[in-house]
Amino acid sequence: DNAPAIREICRRLDGIPLALELAARWVKTLPVAQIAERLDDTFRLLTGGQRTALARQQTLQATLDWSYNLLSAAERTVLRRLAVFARGWTLPAAEAVCSGEDVDAADVLQTLTQLVEKSLVEVTRESSQETRYHLLATVRQYAQEKLRDAGDVTMARDCHMRWFAALAEKAEPQLYNQGQLRWLKRLEMEHDNLRAALSWALAERDPGTALQVSGALGRFWRTRGYWREGQQWLQAALALDAETGETADPRWRARAYHRMGMVSGYTQDCVTYFKKALHLYQAAGDRSGVGQTVASLAIEPWSRWSGDDPATLQELLEDSLLRIAVGQSGGAQVDVCRGHAGIGRHIVQAHHTAPELHLVARLLDVQESTRRAHGAESSRGDHIDLPGRLPVAFFPDSLDDLLGR
């Protein structure tokens, strides 16, 4: 019956013999489950070792104090700042977060190596991935206390937030191209750090960063199935933005609404979010965002909820094709072109006349060209059945011809 609680104690104490010995002292007076519950305050609970032992071995706090006092000033600073990471970090992340006036970024590797040699930092090597480091839970809790005592919490967490905001921004366009799987794995590995960055942005009432990070992670959350969590983060960011009234980047606000639609499931709500995003993208003059949101509105079954008639959908198609003509960076074009199939399907279902089929023919041409350019495969949902074969004359010589200019 006690096995789950015992496993939790061993996990929380990292299997450290002294810590387990000190925890075992409470078995006579507390059920094992209650001991596990009280480990949130590890250093208060784990006291009173054998009286014959050295002072530094009588409590876990004293043991870590002894090790900490043997460190150089730079080692202490780096160890404290490493406490802001959740579920580990890479060397570039450590260099960004741990460096400052008292520690040069170029010295972080050497200092990190010294902490590894002193068994205060653990190393995890992932095949074909960067080396990762982490702190044992007990060491991290100790370092967090030292960070608070040094008054460096805000500085360290700000650096951590900026680093992971930049990582999320860098990763987002990669989720639309052939590097998608590698970047999904990278974001999964850093998910706890990204959550910590979002939590800090919200706690510090920083709507710009909250919108930036949550918006950049929208596609990751949708692809990985974190729909409910994504909704919660995006709702919190948008609520903070509305509450503070600060001037955040309007494109981040628009992207947050679009991603909110992506993780809202196939409901009427998602259409509301998409239309809000479309309005904001249009106001910001962001053609790329307009095109992507137009595609989202067209994809079945979202277009069923939108209430748009085929004529409106035709206008959306023209706008989206125009967006492609002016250029769109990255593989996001593939996602947009897949959305065109939804628009074309509605047009074909409602109209069989040459002008409308003319647009759909151009749509198919753009879809196939974009797929080839980005190495993407066709999706079953992309197929449009045209009534009869279209003559070559249906394909315009230029976009101006297509749009009647």
Side-chain angles (χ1 to χ4, degrees), residues 163-243:
W163 170 264
F164 284 100
L167 176 67
E169 202 67 50
K170 178 181 179 181
E172 195 208 20
Q174 306 304 320
L175 300 182
Y176 293 88
N177 62 33
Q178 293 174 322
Q180 182 190 61
L181 292 179
R182 179 170 62 86
W183 278 94
L184 285 172
K185 182 178 180 181
R186 174 74 181 275
L187 291 176
E188 191 73 62
M189 192 171 294
E190 299 290 10
H191 203 179
D192 285 342
N193 278 311
L194 292 161
R195 290 175 174 126
L198 274 169
S199 294
W200 183 249
L202 294 171
E204 291 297 290
R205 301 184 65 75
D206 180 353
T209 303
L211 289 173
Q212 179 190 15
V213 178
S214 60
L217 292 177
R219 186 172 178 85
F220 164 73
W221 285 326
R222 176 176 169 79
T223 304
R224 287 298 203 187
Y226 296 107
W227 289 30
R228 176 69 66 181
E229 180 178 356
Q231 288 177 42
Q232 292 170 346
W233 286 119
L234 286 159
Q235 284 173 343
L238 288 166
L240 178 62
D241 178 52
E243 179 184 344

Side-chain angles (χ1 to χ4, degrees), residues 258 277-297 316 319-320 323 328 336:
H258 180 264
L278 182 60
H279 172 75
L280 291 170
Y281 275 132
Q282 288 171 333
D286 187 333
R287 288 184 178 272
S288 172
V290 168
Q292 197 169 18
T293 308
V294 162
S296 296
L297 281 166
L316 293 178
D319 286 345
S320 203
R323 200 278 312 162
Q328 157 90 23
V336 172

Side-chain angles (χ1 to χ4, degrees), residues 350-371:
H351 303 281
H352 288 174
T353 61
E356 285 75 21
L357 295 179
H358 187 184
L359 284 169
V360 177
R362 179 57 176 161
L363 156 67
L364 297 176
D365 186 37
V366 172
Q367 279 185 293
E368 187 58 32
S369 298
T370 306
R371 285 199 189 95

Side-chain angles (χ1 to χ4, degrees), residues 271-318:
V271 176
T272 301
Y273 291 125
F274 286 144
K275 289 188 173 182
K276 178 69 173 177
L278 182 60
H279 172 75
L280 291 170
Y281 275 132
Q282 288 171 333
D286 187 333
R287 288 184 178 272
S288 172
V290 168
Q292 197 169 18
T293 308
V294 162
S296 296
L297 281 166
I299 294 173
E300 286 277 17
W302 290 328
S303 53
R304 251 200 339 264
W305 293 102
S306 69
D308 293 323
D309 59 17
T312 301
L313 291 169
Q314 181 173 332
E315 291 179 9
L316 293 178
L317 172 60
E318 293 172 351

Side-chain angles (χ1 to χ4, degrees), residues 112-178:
L112 193 56
T113 301
Q114 292 166 347
L115 292 172
V116 170
E117 292 173 349
K118 295 175 181 178
S119 300
L120 290 169
V121 171
E122 302 290 313
V123 178
T124 303
R125 288 186 175 84
E126 299 282 344
S127 59
S128 73
Q129 296 287 329
E130 291 180 282
T131 298
R132 291 186 65 81
Y133 306 84
H134 70 275
L135 295 176
L136 295 178
T138 48
V139 176
R140 182 171 184 251
Q141 185 175 337
Y142 179 86
Q144 287 173 333
E145 292 185 1
K146 291 299 182 182
L147 187 66
R148 284 193 293 270
D149 293 343
D152 284 346
V153 172
T154 298
M155 182 278 296
R157 294 208 64 175
D158 281 349
C159 291
H160 177 274
M161 179 182 68
R162 288 194 296 270
W163 170 264
F164 284 100
L167 176 67
E169 202 67 50
K170 178 181 179 181
E172 195 208 20
Q174 306 304 320
L175 300 182
Y176 293 88
N177 62 33
Q178 293 174 322

Side-chain angles (χ1 to χ4, degrees), residues 12-14 16 18-19 22 42-44 46 54-71 76 79 115 118-122 135-146:
R12 296 279 297 276
L13 297 179
D14 304 307
I16 298 173
L18 174 61
L22 294 171
T42 301
F43 300 113
R44 184 180 296 274
L46 303 185
L54 296 174
R56 66 173 183 267
Q57 296 175 351
Q58 290 186 20
T59 70
L60 188 60
Q61 177 81 43
T63 300
L64 289 171
D65 280 340
W66 181 75
S67 298
Y68 184 78
N69 290 333
L70 294 177
L71 300 178
R76 293 179 190 179
L79 180 63
L115 292 172
K118 295 175 181 178
S119 300
L120 290 169
V121 171
E122 302 290 313
L135 295 176
L136 295 178
T138 48
V139 176
R140 182 171 184 251
Q141 185 175 337
Y142 179 86
Q144 287 173 333
E145 292 185 1
K146 291 299 182 182

